[in-house]
Amino acid sequence: MSECPRHQGGSCSCVEAISPFPVLVIVHALAATVWTGGHLVLDLGVLPRARLRLIPNLSDANLSGLAWHICAITALAIAFVVVGALIRLGGVLG
């Protein structure tokens, strides 16, 4: 045990609080890495094959569902960017 600044001259079992900011930055960086890697896998592996099956089968009936899916994924991506920027700039938990 080291000397505690709160209990001058003696040693104690005080635990210092860890700031959440460095932990959030690490979690955000890992999540961004996984997100980007997933997009690369989709872009280079899955989508070229899926495009050959999906595009010929598009119609007015199923186009609406695809549009909602694309909008939801885009909104999620924007939310990740906004939260990451707020964390970085001190607007969340700051």
Side-chain angles (χ1 to χ4, degrees):
M1 300 261 176
S2 62
E3 288 188 15
C4 177
R6 292 184 195 157
H7 303 102
Q8 299 187 1
S11 52
C12 70
S13 60
C14 290
V15 178
E16 289 186 34
I18 298 174
S19 171
F21 184 73
V23 175
L24 288 174
V25 170
I26 291 169
V27 169
H28 178 76
L30 290 173
T33 302
V34 170
W35 179 272
T36 305
H39 275 83
L40 287 174
V41 167
L42 284 173
D43 218 16
L44 300 175
V46 176
L47 291 180
R49 289 189 299 259
R51 185 181 64 202
L52 298 174
R53 289 186 288 157
L54 181 64
I55 290 177
N57 296 328
L58 280 179
S59 66
D60 289 339
N62 60 7
L63 187 60
S64 177
L66 181 63
W68 278 105
H69 178 77
I70 290 170
C71 289
I73 295 298
T74 303
L76 183 63
I78 291 170
F80 275 122
V81 170
V82 169
V83 170
L86 287 174
I87 289 171
R88 175 65 180 101
L89 298 174
V92 174
L93 301 173

